[in-house]
Amino acid sequence: MKKKWIVPGMLVLVLAMLLTACDKKMMFIASESGSKIKASYKLFSGTDDKKVKLKSGETLTVDYKSKVERGELTIALYDPDGELVKDFNTGETGSEEITAGKDGTYKFIITGEGAKGSYEIKFSTE
């Protein structure tokens, strides 16, 4: 009699683990173009990203702004090796110039934890 509950019990356990590992986005409105990414949301728990190809010595100019009404939001830029290049201040507006140290694909990673608000990142290269 107990054996018939093993398979459904395991299925429920696996589904619960998968659902807790998923990104949560509620009323998440985002847009992305070649050199811009922006979003506004009532709930953002998870990650979003934007890739940028740079050559060594190129300058990446980043204009950013974010609003955090609740929760936590981080915006960071990583080099092709996954090393942190710049951690941007959230809840602020700013501009940064970053010189690429090596050729490759750099990645903006935006992470929310129970966040409510918005972000916008615009960039150009020289």
Side-chain angles (χ1 to χ4, degrees):
M1 193 72 165
K2 290 183 181 181
K3 288 184 180 182
K4 72 177 186 179
W5 292 103
I6 291 175
V7 173
M10 292 294 283
L11 183 59
V12 168
L13 182 62
V14 169
L15 284 173
M17 289 183 348
L18 288 173
L19 289 175
T20 58
C22 294
D23 289 354
K24 293 178 181 131
K25 296 178 179 177
M26 184 184 310
M27 296 182 72
F28 187 90
I29 301 168
S31 68
E32 182 177 335
S33 67
S35 61
K36 181 178 176 181
I37 181 171
K38 71 178 187 173
S40 63
Y41 40 85
K42 295 290 182 188
L43 174 65
F44 175 39
S45 288
T47 60
D48 202 1
D49 67 33
K50 176 71 176 165
K51 296 176 183 173
V52 164
K53 289 193 180 208
L54 298 173
K55 295 187 187 229
S56 180
E58 261 188 315
T59 299
L60 178 70
T61 302
V62 181
D63 295 313
Y64 63 94
K65 64 181 172 181
S66 65
K67 181 178 179 182
V68 182
E69 296 176 32
R70 177 181 68 234
E72 294 182 32
L73 181 73
T74 60
I75 302 172
L77 178 67
Y78 292 88
D79 73 9
D81 297 328
E83 297 292 320
L84 178 66
V85 174
K86 177 70 181 161
D87 194 8
F88 298 91
N89 294 329
T90 55
E92 296 182 10
T93 298
S95 184
E96 298 282 341
E97 286 190 353
I98 300 159
T99 303
K102 56 184 86 171
D103 292 356
T105 302
Y106 287 68
K107 189 187 289 188
F108 288 100
I109 302 217
I110 302 99
T111 305
E113 291 183 27
K116 177 182 177 185
S118 63
Y119 65 82
E120 182 175 339
I121 302 167
K122 293 188 237 179
F123 58 88
S124 61
T125 57
E126 294 179 22

